[in-house]
Amino acid sequence: MKKYIIQLVMVFTLISMSGCLNDLDVEPIDPNLITSANVYETVEDYKKGLAKLYATFALSGQQGPAGLPDIEGIDEGFGNYLRQYWNCQELTTDEAVLSWNDATIKDLHWHTWTATDVFIGAMYSRIMYSVALCNEFIRVTEGNEDPDISTFHAEARFLRALAYSHAIDMFGNPSFVTEADLPGAFFPEQISRADLFDYIESELIAIEDDLGDPRFEYGRADRAAAWMVLAKLYLNAEVYIGEPKYTECIAVLDKINNSAYELADDYMHNFVADNHTSPEMILPITYDGINTQSYGGMVYLLHAQIGGSMPTYDLMGTGEAWAGLRTTSALVNKFDLDNDGRALFWTDGQSLEINDIGLFTDGYAITKFRNRKLNGDPSDTDQPVFVDTDWPMFRLADAYLMYAEAVLRGGSGGSRAQALTYVNELRERAYGDASGNITNAQLTLDFILDERGRELFWEGHRRTDLIRFGVFTGSEYLWPWKGNVQEGAPSSSHRDLFPIPSAEIGANPNLEQNPDY
C-alpha cells in the first residue's frame, strides 16, 4: 500500500470538487475535466484511490510535507490525523506531557479544554474529512463486480467505520453522513451515540466476508482489523450505550487470537523501522521516509520524544530532537524498571517528577519508537527527518489483554485459564523468562489496567482505557498535573467526552453540544 500513496496526489481533491457532476450522472463536456467517471478506468486506478483513504490517517495534505493541506485553519503538521488522535488519547492521561506552548496544547493534560480548542477542532475535522472521502469512494465502487474492486469497496467501508469509531469514542454524538448523502449544500444530521454504535456494528459485520484474509497484504485492512474495531466497540459498550457486550467481545477476539497473527519474539519489533515484518501488526498506519512525508504522525512522535542527553541518530535513527514529549511518574511507577524490558525510559539527565511541564528534562523521556531496524541498522530510506517506522494501530498483544479483561468482566465463552495464559505470554516476552509471570489470584481488573499501561503505553489507547475503568475524570485516580495541579486534582466527569467544536455548532443548526460545555 505504501507505494501507491505517492501516486494519488490530486485525484480525490478533483473528484470532490466535481461532486455535482456525480449527482447528474452525466459525462462532462470538457474531456480534460477529471471526475470519478474518468479517473477510475482500471483496477490499478481504483487501488490508487483506495490508497488516498488510507493516507488520510497518515498524511495531512496533497503533496507533503506541507503546501496543499486537506483542511484549513491549522498548521498542516498539527492537523495530521494520527498526531491529533495521539494527542487526544495520550496527552489527556497519565502517560504523556508536552513541553511546548503551541496554542492550547497544555489544556489537554490539564483537563481544561473548551469547545473552541483548535486541536480538538482539528481532530473532529480530520474524522469528518476521512468519512467524506470514504463516502465518495464507496459511491463509485458500489455494485462493481470485479473481485478486487469489491474488496476495495469493503475496505473503504471499514475505514469509514474506523473513523466513526473514533468519533463515538471521543465526541459521542457527531454529525453523520454516508454515501446516501450526495454532495451538495445541506446540514448533516446529528446521530446519537447509541445509533452510531448500531451503525458501526452493522457495517463491520456486513463487510466481514468481503475483506481479505488475515495478513493478505501488509498495510491494508483485513478481517482481523475489522474484528479489532468490533471487539473494541463491544469492550466499551457499557460506556457508549450503557449495555455490556463482553460475551460478544470474547467471540470476536477468539477469531483474532486464532488467526494468522502471532506475537513477535521481541517486543521492540513492533516499534522500529522494519516493524512491517512483525507478525503481530494487525493494522498499521504506514510511513515511508521518501514517499509519505509529514510533520505529523510518526515524524512527530519520534522527534518529539527525543531531547536532553538522548542520542538522535545512533539510537533513534533520526537527525532531529524536538524535545517535547515525556511521561509522568504515575506510568513509570507501574514498571519493574530493573526487569521489565518494556520500560523504555531515558533517565540520564531527566528527573522522575515534573515540576515544570515546559521543561523537557522534567519527566522521564521515552525511547519506544525508533527509526532504526530491530538489529540496529539504519532504516531503508535513512532520512534525517522523515521516517520509515509504521504506527501500530492494532496489534495482537492488545487482543490478548482485551480477552482477559472481557473474561474478568463476566463475558461468557472464554476462560480465566486462557486469559492468564495470554497475559503471561506477554510478560514472558517482556521479562525474557517466567520470572514476571502472575498467578491466577493476581489476575484482577486493576492489574489489567496497569498491564495495558505497561504493554501499550503511547499507542493511543490510554484515554479510552481510563474512561472504561471509570478513572479518567474524578478523584479516584490522580496523576501529576491532572486538573492543572502538580500533585493531580479531580476533573469533571463531563470531560469523558470532548465537546463538539463550537465552529461546527455555529455552522450546523442540527447539532447540539455535549453536556456542560
Side-chain angles (χ1 to χ4, degrees), residues 85-278:
Y85 182 75
W86 192 93
N87 284 345
C88 287
Q89 290 291 86
E90 294 292 351
L91 291 182
T92 56
T93 76
D94 55 346
E95 290 192 350
V97 297
L98 182 63
S99 62
W100 306 339
N101 289 313
D102 299 308
T104 56
I105 194 67
K106 287 191 175 71
D107 288 345
L108 293 177
H109 196 71
W110 292 338
H111 285 208
T112 56
W113 58 79
T114 69
T116 60
D117 189 285
V118 64
F119 302 110
I120 294 173
M123 182 72 260
Y124 189 93
S125 295
R126 291 301 319 188
I127 290 172
M128 294 308 162
Y129 177 76
S130 293
V131 166
L133 265 61
C134 288
N135 285 340
E136 177 65 27
F137 189 85
I138 290 165
R139 275 191 287 267
V140 300
T141 53
E142 183 70 46
N144 195 305
E145 296 182 358
D146 182 283
D148 288 327
I149 297 173
S150 178
T151 300
F152 300 162
H153 179 83
E155 287 177 65
R157 291 174 68 180
F158 165 81
L159 293 171
R160 180 176 61 184
L162 175 64
Y164 272 135
S165 77
H166 296 158
I168 195 175
D169 185 71
M170 290 190 278
F171 297 101
N173 312 282
S175 55
F176 181 71
V177 289
T178 71
E179 74 277 13
D181 300 299
L182 296 177
F186 68 96
F187 295 118
E189 296 294 328
Q190 187 170 26
I191 191 170
S192 71
R193 210 174 195 186
D195 287 344
L196 185 54
F197 182 99
D198 290 343
Y199 174 79
I200 297 168
E201 179 187 32
S202 65
E203 281 288 282
L204 294 170
I205 292 172
I207 63 175
E208 178 179 337
D209 291 340
D210 296 324
L211 293 170
D213 292 331
R215 301 192 72 182
F216 82 111
E217 182 178 334
Y218 182 81
R220 291 174 61 186
D222 58 23
R223 292 189 188 106
W227 295 332
M228 281 295 288
V229 178
L230 189 58
K232 285 187 173 294
L233 194 71
Y234 289 147
L235 189 66
N236 291 284
E238 280 199 281
V239 173
Y240 298 159
I241 61 173
E243 181 182 345
K245 296 276 187 177
Y246 303 115
T247 296
E248 294 87 339
C249 183
I250 290 170
V252 175
L253 289 168
D254 274 337
K255 296 180 182 180
I256 300 168
N257 295 338
N258 293 300
S259 72
Y261 290 96
E262 57 188 49
L263 291 184
D265 292 336
D266 191 323
Y267 178 72
M268 279 301 300
H269 199 171
N270 300 296
F271 316 111
V272 290
D274 54 347
N275 59 353
H276 61 281
T277 63
S278 168

Side-chain angles (χ1 to χ4, degrees), residues 266-394:
D266 191 323
Y267 178 72
M268 279 301 300
H269 199 171
N270 300 296
F271 316 111
V272 290
D274 54 347
N275 59 353
H276 61 281
T277 63
S278 168
E280 192 172 332
M281 297 278 278
I282 294 174
L283 183 68
I285 297 178
T286 61
Y287 283 91
D288 178 290
I290 295 175
N291 296 330
T292 54
Q293 295 186 350
S294 168
Y295 292 116
M298 292 304 294
V299 166
Y300 163 64
L301 291 178
L302 264 157
H303 290 92
Q305 69 178 2
I306 304 171
S309 65
M310 190 188 304
T312 53
Y313 184 75
D314 289 345
L315 176 64
M316 307 301 286
T318 65
E320 295 191 5
W322 294 0
L325 295 168
R326 295 96 65 217
T327 193
T328 75
S329 58
L331 176 67
V332 174
N333 291 336
K334 298 182 191 308
F335 282 85
D336 176 350
L337 297 180
D338 294 328
N339 298 300
D340 192 332
R342 301 169 298 186
L344 298 166
F345 305 117
W346 185 265
T347 62
D348 182 30
Q350 304 289 134
S351 65
L352 174 61
E353 299 298 340
I354 301 171
N355 295 311
D356 181 357
I357 285 182
L359 185 63
F360 181 81
T361 52
D362 275 19
Y364 283 179
I366 301 291
T367 63
K368 185 167 186 173
F369 300 110
R370 305 180 191 183
N371 193 40
R372 282 189 172 273
K373 295 182 177 181
L374 184 61
N375 66 3
D377 287 349
S379 71
D380 285 338
T381 66
D382 200 21
Q383 297 293 301
V385 177
F386 304 108
V387 304
D388 292 350
T389 310
D390 297 336
W391 169 254
M393 177 171 282
F394 300 134

Side-chain angles (χ1 to χ4, degrees), residues 441-496:
Q442 292 173 303
L443 185 63
T444 65
L445 283 173
D446 286 343
F447 174 87
I448 289 294
L449 179 59
D450 286 348
E451 188 69 6
R452 287 187 64 82
R454 288 183 286 264
E455 177 69 28
L456 302 168
F457 76 93
W458 279 34
E459 295 182 51
H461 303 287
R462 191 60 172 175
R463 172 189 158 275
T464 303
D465 289 348
L466 292 176
I467 290 171
R468 187 172 65 256
F469 278 80
V471 294
F472 179 67
T473 54
S475 59
E476 185 175 342
Y477 178 41
L478 304 179
W479 58 82
W481 294 103
K482 176 183 178 180
N484 199 13
V485 174
Q486 184 173 358
E487 298 79 17
S491 56
S492 172
S493 62
H494 78 277
R495 296 189 182 279
D496 286 345

